[in-house]
Amino acid sequence: MQNKEKLLEVFHVSKVFPVKKQQLRAVSGVSFSISRGEILGIVGESGCGKSTLAKILVGSLPASEGKMILNGEDYTQLNGKEKRKFRRNIQMVFQDPLSSFSPRMKIGTYLCEPRRNYDGISKKEAMKEAEELLEKVGLPKEFVLRYPHELSGGQLQRVAIARAIAIQPALLICDEATGALDVSIQNQIARLLVELIEEQNMGCIFIGHDLALVRSVTQRIAVMYLGRIVELLDSEHLEQKCCHPYTKALLNSVFDVYCNQEAEIHLLEGDPPSPLQVQNGCAFASRCPRCREKCLSSVPELKRVEERHLAACFYPEG
Amino acid sequence: MKRKMSPTMKKAWIRFAILVLLTLIFVFFALFASVLAPFDPLESHYADMLKPPNSTYLFGTDQLGRDLFSRILYGGKSSLLIAFAVTAIISTVGILIGAIAGFTGGFFDNVLMRFSDMLMAFPGYIFTIALVSFIGIGLPNMILAMSLTGWTYYARISRSLVLSVKNNVYIEQARLGGASRIRILLYYIIPNVLPSLLVNIFQDIGGKLLTISGLSLLGLGSPPPAPEWGFMLSEGKNYMYSAPWMLIFPGLVILVSVVIFNLLGDCIQDLMNPKENVW
């Protein structure tokens, strides 16, 4: 982390979807910030609002409340042409490699698109850059003539990353970018991402549900539960310092090769409550082993536990 | 950096070449009917009425002694012309309307689609017949009537295809890549939608040939002395037993031309598929 200036600041972003006459709170009151060169991980179970948050950050979904500031510019309310121009600052890599490619567009054309659209350079120049980009992500430049279905998932994901960095965005969002790949490939892609982010000094939000992978890639981790960030801390201290019961539960569910096979696995009971219901208390209360009266009546705010460590729990475990 | 073609793809290309050649032969005969026809299609040879096929009259003659071969050539000219014109008009108009409706959605989509629902509520063939008899028979009127009833089909298909494509992740990706709405429509949506439509278009040329033949069989095509395949069939049916060639040859050209266009449509679908899994 060379310079500590804030790249992206997010204040109390919420997203509410109307579902029939009810309201579905997919994301509620999320705030965090990222500095240049930093990789922030976001983990949480399916349906906790990770992808919705990504879509809001990238500007595909309007936020219901809140404010997002990138490099000092508030882009929450941008529209039309300005929004399209702003989009170059935040690029995204999606989960399923194949579906993020138009089946009839050659890899080269695909890689040319951002530069041609944003900077209006000629097709010839863009093609040359496309070849350079391919080599940068470790693919042969002959791939410009291939169609997406001729590449493997890992290769496609490399191409997707190449396209995302083609216009040197300030922020890269990887929405489960390694989720659909083999474990061995996941590692390669993750390493490639880390390298590129360091090289280009961008910020990155790395979304995933594989806690082990996310921890190895990122500097800080935000744990999400039912649309809220429940804990935010440095990745290297995740195991020792985490204090939210949900983070503990997540950590307990991580398998690794050396894990004690005899040890009992502590499973969380029940399902998360429906995001349709308005709760009074902590969203995690119904599944929390340490739940007390206060947890049922009021919502815990994300509070500072110690230096660089926030948690939303009334009774954090030591 | 040329890449090798798979054998299945090669086979499809060969098939395509043969079909295009056949189509071109048809078009060639239709275009140069006036040069190639041995006789005037309207000229009667009263000495040679209802002659079976021989060296002078390749396909025989009809009840007025007119050369069937020449009549079929001239008939092809108007039939193919109408079929191509109608298909070109309705596919362009229909695809554009459908794609815009599907892509923009909302009010425009509703209005257009309800209107096409309204048109589709009538049976197409009967509606065409009614229109032709209302505005009068003749070539331009036939094109008009068939176009008015035909475009809804394309609007429907292209709209639903666009709807299935427009929520793909790669459209989202395109937007992030800075593509404008028009660019997304032209570079991302249309290329993924067009191949399935092309099949329909080519098969529809065959269908339109049938419709034209049907209309002229009912006497709603070009006014009588003018040669037309369907009308020739309808004349021939009165001589089914004494002069079967009057039925066989027009019927055969209708059959062959329709089959060629249908196969061409299939073949194009195979070729447009970049995944190369042809059969």
Side-chain angles (χ1 to χ4, degrees):
Chain A
M1 275 178 277
Q2 295 88 334
N3 53 42
K4 283 271 190 175
E5 76 185 275
K6 293 272 186 283
L7 173 68
L8 173 78
E9 287 176 282
V10 178
F11 297 105
H12 301 289
V13 163
S14 298
K15 179 71 195 173
V16 179
F17 293 108
V19 177
K20 288 172 191 166
K21 274 176 191 164
Q22 290 169 297
Q23 293 197 318
L24 188 148
R25 290 189 82 83
V27 176
S28 48
V30 168
S31 316
F32 61 88
S33 65
I34 299 181
S35 41
R36 275 194 173 272
E38 186 188 18
I39 309 180
L40 171 77
I42 297 182
V43 289
E45 59 197 343
S46 323
C48 72
K50 293 171 298 193
S51 293
T52 311
L53 181 62
K55 279 185 186 161
I56 295 171
L57 291 177
V58 93
S60 324
L61 268 180
S64 310
E65 297 161 27
K67 207 158 75 161
M68 298 171 295
I69 296 172
L70 187 93
N71 275 335
E73 187 190 352
D74 183 350
Y75 70 95
T76 324
Q77 303 294 339
L78 287 185
N79 253 324
K81 253 204 171 126
E82 284 173 331
K83 186 171 179 181
R84 224 169 78 210
K85 253 172 80 187
F86 180 82
R87 281 210 159 119
R88 68 171 303 152
N89 295 311
I90 305 183
Q91 289 292 307
M92 192 160 168
V93 179
F94 293 87
Q95 175 174 18
D96 182 10
L98 199 55
S99 73
S100 51
F101 287 82
S102 165
R104 280 167 215 285
M105 189 177 267
K106 286 185 182 158
I107 299 298
T109 323
Y110 173 84
L111 283 170
C112 288
E113 276 287 293
R115 282 284 277 158
R116 294 192 64 198
N117 289 333
Y118 285 118
D119 301 327
I121 66 172
S122 74
K123 176 135 197 181
K124 224 173 147 188
E125 266 176 84
M127 254 327 179
K128 245 175 85 187
E129 279 186 19
E131 290 182 355
E132 285 163 20
L133 279 168
L134 278 177
E135 289 184 332
K136 202 169 187 175
V137 294
L139 294 173
K141 62 179 179 194
E142 285 74 28
F143 274 23
V144 288
L145 293 178
R146 298 270 180 103
Y147 283 102
H149 64 87
E150 297 173 300
L151 271 60
S152 71
Q155 290 170 333
L156 283 179
Q157 210 58 304
R158 282 170 190 267
V159 177
I161 293 169
R163 165 158 160 158
I165 60 166
I167 38 172
Q168 275 143 8
L171 180 69
L172 184 67
I173 298 180
C174 304
D175 187 4
E176 310 213 9
T178 59
L181 304 173
D182 285 343
V183 182
S184 56
I185 314 278
Q186 280 189 12
N187 203 359
Q188 289 175 19
I189 299 288
R191 244 182 297 159
L192 173 73
L193 271 171
V194 173
E195 254 169 57
L196 289 170
I197 285 156
E198 220 161 80
E199 185 189 312
Q200 305 214 359
N201 199 25
M202 347 176 230
C204 174
I205 296 179
F206 192 91
I207 298 173
H209 47 231
D210 182 348
L211 196 56
L213 179 81
V214 174
R215 181 176 36 175
S216 71
V217 172
T218 59
Q219 276 116 43
R220 278 192 305 154
I221 286 193
V223 180
M224 273 184 88
Y225 185 78
L226 216 71
R228 290 170 193 279
I229 291 182
V230 292
E231 189 158 20
L232 184 74
L233 75 168
D234 286 344
S235 319
E236 38 175 334
H237 305 132
L238 180 67
E239 261 166 25
Q240 302 91 328
K241 290 199 180 164
C242 78
C243 59
H244 195 281
Y246 180 64
T247 317
K248 294 236 153 156
L250 270 186
L251 272 170
N252 262 331
S253 65
V254 173
F255 291 99
D256 69 54
V257 183
Y258 309 107
C259 73
N260 182 0
Q261 312 237 337
E262 308 293 310
E264 209 180 319
I265 299 166
H266 297 283
L267 287 177
L268 273 180
E269 308 235 325
D271 292 315
S274 160
L276 280 172
Q277 281 149 13
V278 187
Q279 309 120 11
N280 292 320
C282 171
F284 190 59
S286 58
R287 302 165 84 187
C288 183
R290 306 166 56 86
C291 171
R292 296 184 208 172
E293 227 164 83
K294 193 178 176 192
C295 302
L296 293 171
S297 55
S298 52
V299 182
E301 290 294 315
L302 200 57
K303 281 193 307 246
R304 210 182 128 214
V305 180
E306 55 192 314
E307 183 65 28
R308 296 176 59 77
H309 184 177
L310 303 166
C313 186
F314 292 124
Y315 309 105
E317 297 174 42
Chain B
M1 280 189 280
K2 221 174 174 182
R3 286 186 301 121
K4 254 178 102 181
M5 207 184 279
S6 70
T8 46
M9 205 61 179
K10 223 178 213 163
K11 240 156 119 190
W13 273 108
I14 292 171
R15 228 157 52 107
F16 179 68
I18 294 171
L19 288 169
V20 167
L21 196 73
L22 287 173
T23 316
L24 285 181
I25 291 174
F26 258 81
V27 173
F28 176 78
F29 273 111
L31 275 181
F32 296 101
S34 49
V35 186
L36 292 166
F39 298 97
D40 184 333
L42 304 177
E43 182 194 353
S44 298
H45 308 270
Y46 290 109
D48 297 321
M49 287 193 295
L50 295 174
K51 276 267 155 44
N54 56 41
S55 53
T56 341
Y57 306 110
L58 227 45
F59 288 176
T61 57
D62 65 4
Q63 79 281 13
L64 296 173
R66 293 175 296 198
D67 179 33
L68 278 179
F69 182 62
S70 309
R71 284 178 71 74
I72 282 176
L73 285 184
Y74 274 92
K77 194 175 181 172
S78 61
S79 294
L80 284 180
L81 181 81
I82 301 175
F84 283 140
V86 170
T87 316
I89 293 172
I90 61 176
S91 58
T92 319
V93 172
I95 289 171
L96 269 179
I97 290 180
I100 294 171
F103 191 52
T104 55
F107 179 72
F108 187 65
D109 186 24
N110 268 327
V111 171
L112 276 171
M113 286 305 127
R114 290 302 81 75
F115 186 64
S116 91
D117 278 347
M118 226 163 66
L119 282 178
M120 275 177 130
F122 298 100
Y125 216 94
I126 294 174
F127 193 36
T128 315
I129 293 171
L131 269 175
V132 174
S133 29
F134 182 65
I135 52 184
I137 54 176
L139 226 147
N141 288 350
M142 200 147 126
I143 294 179
L144 185 69
M146 285 172 72
S147 303
L148 278 174
T149 53
W151 67 271
T152 53
Y153 173 70
Y154 286 94
R156 281 266 152 209
I157 305 179
S158 78
R159 176 177 174 270
S160 64
L161 284 172
V162 167
L163 281 181
S164 74
V165 163
K166 86 167 184 180
N167 287 326
N168 263 311
V169 179
Y170 60 79
I171 302 296
E172 183 65 48
Q173 185 81 292
R175 228 170 262 141
L176 282 179
S180 60
R181 285 164 73 93
I182 296 166
R183 197 178 174 88
I184 289 176
L185 194 64
L186 293 181
Y187 282 72
Y188 292 82
I189 292 181
I190 300 277
N192 285 301
V193 157
L194 204 60
S196 338
L197 284 167
L198 265 184
V199 183
N200 282 306
I201 292 171
F202 274 89
Q203 291 185 338
D204 205 26
I205 294 179
K208 288 293 172 272
L209 277 173
L210 269 183
T211 311
I212 294 161
S213 303
L215 284 176
S216 59
L217 182 90
L218 295 171
L220 294 169
S222 310
E228 208 156 61
W229 295 346
F231 189 64
M232 288 165 73
L233 262 186
S234 113
E235 281 180 327
K237 72 179 192 298
N238 303 327
Y239 301 87
M240 207 185 317
Y241 298 105
S242 53
W245 53 88
M246 282 182 67
L247 270 178
I248 290 171
F249 290 108
L252 215 58
V253 281
I254 294 173
L255 177 79
V256 172
S257 56
V258 171
V259 167
I260 285 178
F261 282 112
N262 279 347
L263 288 179
L264 196 62
D266 278 350
C267 199
I268 285 172
Q269 184 175 36
D270 293 341
L271 290 177
M272 296 291 269
N273 185 356
K275 287 190 184 153
E276 296 194 8
N277 45 1
V278 179
W279 276 278

